[in-house]
Amino acid sequence: MAEVVDNFDWDNVGANSFGGNYTAEQRAEMEQMYSETLTTVQEEEVIKGTVVGITDRDVILNIGFKSDGLVPLSEFRDLTDLKVGDEVEVFIEDQEDANGQLILSRKKAKIKQAWKAIYDALENDTVLEGVVKRRTKGGLIMDLDGVEAFLPGSQIDVKPIRDFDIYVGRRMEVKVVKINAAFDNVVVSHKVLIEKDLEKQREAILNNLEKGQILEGVIKNMTNFGVFIDLGGVDGLLHITDISWGRIAHPSEVLQLDQKLNIVVLDFDEAKKRISLGLKQLTPHPWDSLGADMGVGSKVKGRIVNVADYGAFMEIIPGVEGLIHVSEMSWSQHLRNPQDFIKQGDVVEAQILTLDREDRKMSLGIKQLSEDPWTRGDFGTKYAVGTNHNGLVRNLTNFGLFVELEEGVDGLVHVSDLSWTKKIKHPSEVVKVGDRLDVVVLELDVANRRLALGHKQLEENPWDTFQTVFTPGSVHKATITEKTDRGAVLELPYGIEGFAYPKSLAKEDGSQAENGEALDFRVVEFSKEDRRIVLSHSAVYNQQAEEDSRASKFTKKKPAGGAASTQGEGKLSDLKKPATAEKSTLGDLDALSALRDKMMGNERQAGEQKLAGKAAPAAEEAPAEGGIVAAVTSAASAAIDKVSEVAGDVVDTVKNALSSDDTDKKDEEKA
């Protein structure tokens, strides 16, 4: 146990302790020396630190502060050979946290330094180096020392890039072209570095460029109209028409991207720096190798490479084409779309019609390989006048329709030859394109290749029967189908049409007949040649008045019986005039007229039976009976006409006699 000193001088303890013997000047000097060993730091500042220790989780750094700082080891993954004593830059996040620890960050220090380098590169037009991290839509993402930058696909190289993946992980030099500070976006370009290197090379190529010069290039881009070829710093266009002597639809049929090939300079514009290139010009023209035995009349075989509205182009050999006009595809005079005959890609055989080796033009024909139907020996017999046929309606016009009887044989059916009874304004009222129609040949002109056809002629002309049914004065039920200022169109029985003037449409009560009404009409006029029937409704109820008016106009009143005997005066003319002349002639004429009306009524009845027999066919003897009635009616009508003629002569005789009496009377008065 230690011995306790009772007389210990506590006042001298401080003077004899560590540093107790320093004077004030010495103490101030020592404090200054100590403060100089410490570094004054500020938060959010980048400073250098020295590695003084490495643990499993952290790296201990001495930045000259009163305490060492810790940095996570994960922020040093890019430094695989990190060791004690190395100097690194760090970012001061916090001088002292809750535990009194200095917080440092190497990652933030790198980012801040990287942004500073990026702004300096944009301002001073310097080059930065980065690593391509990944591809994205439209380009690549690069890492510029911790800052992500966007490298557009169009700024990667002077030629279009088709595979961006090959650049992932590659280190590239770029230039900063744009910075968006608000969103921390950086856009860089690698193309501008290449263009600077190629500018001198491009100028050298353009200065030495000449027409006809053969160069080597690489296909860098391909379009529908041609390909762009890299000539070593300058691009040239190889148009699709200058790729091959033959016709191609797309350059990819004969060329590929990144393909090296020799091309010839066709033209260039030094001001616009445009170069036109050609590939087919390096080979001889196919027309020059065309066989001498090939001429007009030769048969050739080829592939259809293009179809236009006026015809098709057939490629005999690559670079040698001929035109097959649509009129040379078929003997038919009805021109159609070439697509109806030929499709692109078809292999067909044709005959050479014209050949011009100087202008390199050729016309071909397909129809010449088959016989012309108009020159066949049996054509005149097959399509003789009166023969019946069935054809396909090909075209409609205002004046008629064209019927194709066979390939190359078309005939015209005039609109007036479609129906006996209906007045057709346009063929579309009866048929449409694509229908089949029965026709009969009316006229045949082989020299001019014309064929006149008829459709209504397949049936008997009903107007021969209509003239016995719709006789003038007969009354029929008719329906008004169309009414205009000029009159009305009437629908009569058996599908026939008639016409009535406006004044003939007046009803008995004074009103006018309207469209759709069915009334009785009297036949006023009938013309078989013009196929015209004029009717009148007012004549139905005015018949008696019209007959009385007609009688008063064409007959004279007789003198009262016994007048001459009462006066007792005789005339010389009474001796010359037969007493019974007027009675016998006019009386017989009335009787014959009645007989004629009766027989015409029988004929009309027979005509109606004949028309009804067409609508619903009866026994075979019905037409024969109708023919007999028509014959008897015709004979009776002729007899009546003869009697009327004789009666007319008698009337003329009576008139002459009366004229003689007047003359004698005048002579007697003079005497």
Side-chain angles (χ1 to χ4, degrees), residues 30 126 188 195 234 259 292 305 327 329 367 418 425 458 525 545 646 665:
M30 292 183 64
T126 56
V188 296
E195 287 180 341
V234 62
Q259 178 181 350
V305 294
S327 61
M329 295 181 180
K367 70 180 184 181
L418 289 174
K425 298 179 181 179
L458 295 172
E525 178 186 346
V646 174
K665 183 177 180 181

Side-chain angles (χ1 to χ4, degrees), residues 96-112:
E96 187 176 354
D97 62 358
N99 298 323
Q101 183 66 47
L102 176 65
I103 305 301
L104 304 176
S105 174
R106 181 173 180 268
K107 179 179 179 181
K108 291 183 179 181
K110 290 183 59 178
I111 293 176
K112 190 169 183 179

